[in-house]
Amino acid sequence: MNKEQRFRHLITQEAARLMVNEGVGQYFDAKRIAARRIIGKQYKYNPKYLPSNGEISDAVHALGQLQDPHSHNERLFRMRMCALEVMKHLEAFSPRLIGSVSTGNIREGSDIDLHVFTDEIEALEHHLQCLGWTYQRDTVCIRAGSKLIEYEHIHLDFEFPVELSVYPEREIRITGRSSTDGKPIRRLNSAKVRQLVREEHWQAYLKAGGVNE
């Protein structure tokens, strides 16, 4: 392992530890804090030492498994079941599960990320109100080339926090790329999430009465 690889590995592990044990929420922040701790301010002049978000994500997952694999798997199961329950009530808006709950790379503080699709966000809000769900709405700007595009996000408070990213209906056919690893975003509909639960959490699924659904 050469110098560059060694520093990159150390920074990856420290960034993962920061996210798992110290509550640092963003990859951007975790890798820079870790780099300052490992090599000091000179990291700014050596970006080659900085790991990708995907490398940190993998290390976070491995660290969570190492610390308490049973607790990690039990939490992941509960988060996926919570996602299924929310998706069932939002079926009219074609919900898709993305992010750490779909990949399994969760950590303390992870939320449930869902994409929903509608051309009228007021219809979605009315639906949430009819369900009796409390929510908060905010606007997020995303740069696409030279443009800034605004997307609405809705935050729901369940056993685990749920974030709904609201897209126009036509965008259900468009696959974006993950900010974590640059790969196409994996969007799972409720049938695929249930299949994932059956494959990875079969015993817990049986105990939860899943076979009767």
Side-chain angles (χ1 to χ4, degrees):
M1 184 181 292
N2 61 32
K3 180 180 178 181
E4 178 182 336
Q5 291 171 328
R6 184 169 69 256
F7 278 137
R8 194 180 183 96
H9 173 75
L10 290 172
I11 292 168
T12 300
Q13 296 305 308
E14 177 63 9
R17 192 192 66 77
L18 286 165
M19 298 188 79
V20 172
N21 295 335
E22 296 188 24
V24 176
Q26 301 297 322
Y27 294 109
F28 179 88
D29 297 326
K31 72 174 69 175
R32 279 156 180 76
I33 294 171
R36 283 199 298 271
R37 290 183 180 180
I38 300 298
I39 60 176
K41 293 182 180 180
Q42 62 177 306
Y43 85 88
K44 294 180 181 179
Y45 309 105
N46 294 279
K48 63 186 178 182
Y49 294 151
L50 297 183
S52 67
N53 291 351
E55 289 174 283
I56 299 173
S57 176
D58 289 342
V60 165
H61 179 60
L63 183 58
Q65 290 280 39
L66 180 65
Q67 290 183 338
D68 189 347
H70 176 75
S71 175
H72 176 276
N73 289 334
E74 191 270 339
R75 181 182 181 86
L76 179 59
F77 169 70
R78 291 189 357 249
M79 294 185 80
R80 285 172 169 171
M81 292 301 288
C82 181
L84 278 171
E85 183 66 18
V86 174
M87 294 172 80
K88 179 177 71 174
H89 290 287
L90 298 180
E91 198 60 42
F93 301 94
S94 306
R96 299 291 189 270
L97 177 67
I98 70 159
S100 60
V101 179
S102 68
T103 63
N105 290 351
I106 62 167
R107 57 182 173 83
E108 190 68 31
S110 290
D111 58 7
I112 298 169
D113 292 310
L114 296 174
H115 286 183
V116 292
F117 302 87
T118 180
D119 292 332
E120 298 180 4
I121 192 170
E122 293 78 11
L124 174 59
E125 289 188 293
H126 177 71
H127 184 73
L128 297 175
Q129 291 163 6
C130 290
L131 290 170
W133 292 358
T134 57
Y135 64 90
Q136 293 181 325
R137 174 179 168 181
D138 63 22
T139 303
V140 176
C141 288
I142 297 176
R143 182 173 293 281
S146 60
K147 292 183 179 179
L148 281 177
I149 303 176
E150 291 187 348
Y151 288 100
E152 299 299 324
H153 286 221
I154 290 178
H155 304 272
L156 306 172
D157 188 19
F158 288 91
E159 178 186 4
F160 304 99
V162 177
E163 181 175 350
L164 307 179
S165 299
V166 185
Y167 292 88
E169 291 182 11
R170 68 179 182 277
E171 292 199 27
I172 196 170
R173 297 186 295 274
I174 299 174
T175 301
R177 292 191 173 271
S178 170
S179 62
T180 300
D181 56 17
K183 296 179 181 179
I185 293 175
R186 182 190 188 200
R187 284 175 171 165
L188 304 183
N189 61 23
S190 56
K192 289 182 179 178
V193 176
R194 194 170 300 283
Q195 179 183 354
L196 187 64
V197 169
R198 287 170 174 161
E199 291 174 351
E200 297 189 8
H201 311 278
W202 179 244
Q203 293 301 322
Y205 186 68
L206 286 178
K207 290 180 181 178
V211 293
N212 297 321
E213 295 180 0

